[in-house]
C-alpha cells in the first residue's frame, strides 16, 4: 500500500479490525520511510451479473427499493424491509462467489418476502417471474395456499403430540 504522505511504495500493517459485521477490514498502517500512520479500509466486492451480461456491484439499496415497491400500501415497516435486505445480502455472500447472477439474487428475495407479506410476495413474483396471465397468479396463489395448509397441519400435529406427551 502506497503511503498517502510521502508516496513510498510500501507500508507495514500495525493493526487490523473488522467492521460492519465482518464486511469491512480497517487496517492501521505505518510508513517505514516517513514514519506517519494512516488507515485503509478493505471491502470484498460482490458483483451481480445481469441477464444482459452487464456486471454491477451488489446494492442492498436496490433490494430495499424493489421490496419497498412490492410492499407499497401493505402493513410492512421499514425495519422489516431493511432486515429482509440484510438477510438477502447474507444469503448471497454466503455462496462465496465473487460474481452472482441477478436471477439468484431474485430467488434469495422471494423466500423471505413470502414470509414477510404474501401480497407483496405476489407482486414481486409477478414482475420477477414475468407473469403473463391470470393463470400464473392462480398457480402461485395455490402454491401459497398449499404451503399454508402444510404449516397448519404441522402445527396441529405438533400440538397433538404435545397433548399426548402430557
Amino acid at each position: 500500500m502506497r503511503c498517502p504522505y510521502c508516496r513510498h511504495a510500501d507500508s507495514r500493517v500495525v493493526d487490523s479490525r473488522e467492521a460492519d459485521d465482518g464486511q469491512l477490514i480497517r487496517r492501521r498502517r505505518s510508513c517505514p520511510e516517513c514514519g506517519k500512520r494512516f488507515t485503509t479500509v478493505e471491502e470484498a466486492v460482490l458483483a451481480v451479473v445481469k441477464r444482459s451480461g452487464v456486471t454491477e456491484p451488489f446494492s442492498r439499496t436496490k433490494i430495499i427499493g424493489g421490496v419497498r415497491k412490492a410492499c407499497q400500501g401493505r402493513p410492512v415497516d421499514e425495519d422489516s424491509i431493511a432486515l429482509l435486505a440484510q438477510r438477502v445480502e447474507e444469503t448471497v455472500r454466503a455462496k462465496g462467489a465473487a460474481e452472482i447472477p441477478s436471477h439468484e439474487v431474485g430467488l434469495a428475495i422471494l423466500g423471505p418476502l413470502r414470509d414477510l407479506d404474501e401480497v407483496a410476495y405476489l407482486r414481486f413474483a409477478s414482475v420477477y417471474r414475468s407473469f403473463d396471465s391470470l393463470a400464473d397468479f392462480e398457480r402461485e396463489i395455490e402454491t401459497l395456499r398449499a404451503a399454508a395448509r402444510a404449516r397448519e397441519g404441522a402445527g396441529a400435529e405438533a400440538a397433538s403430540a404435545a397433548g399426548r406427551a402430557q
Side-chain angles (χ1 to χ4, degrees), residues 27-131:
R27 297 196 194 279
R28 238 1 230 157
R29 296 179 176 267
S30 175
C31 176
E33 188 70 24
C34 68
K36 292 191 177 181
R37 292 185 172 205
F38 57 98
T39 301
T40 59
V41 179
E42 298 175 19
E43 179 179 19
V45 177
L46 176 64
V48 176
V49 181
K50 307 289 243 174
R51 282 182 231 173
S52 65
V54 174
T55 301
E56 65 180 45
F58 177 86
S59 170
R60 191 184 293 189
T61 306
K62 285 183 80 170
I63 303 292
I64 290 172
V67 171
R68 186 180 291 135
K69 283 179 189 172
C71 292
Q72 196 168 13
R74 300 295 304 156
V76 177
D77 61 17
E78 285 296 315
D79 289 342
S80 298
I81 294 172
L83 188 61
L84 182 144
Q86 180 180 345
R87 284 178 57 197
V88 168
E89 183 172 0
E90 288 170 357
T91 300
V92 168
R93 285 191 184 274
K95 294 186 184 288
E99 291 185 343
I100 187 160
S102 59
H103 175 74
E104 289 188 32
V105 176
L107 290 175
I109 293 170
L110 286 172
L113 186 56
R114 182 178 35 235
D115 297 339
L116 182 64
D117 186 279
E118 289 179 337
V119 173
Y121 165 79
L122 275 174
R123 289 174 178 171
F124 189 89
S126 71
V127 173
Y128 177 71
R129 293 188 175 149
S130 303
F131 287 6

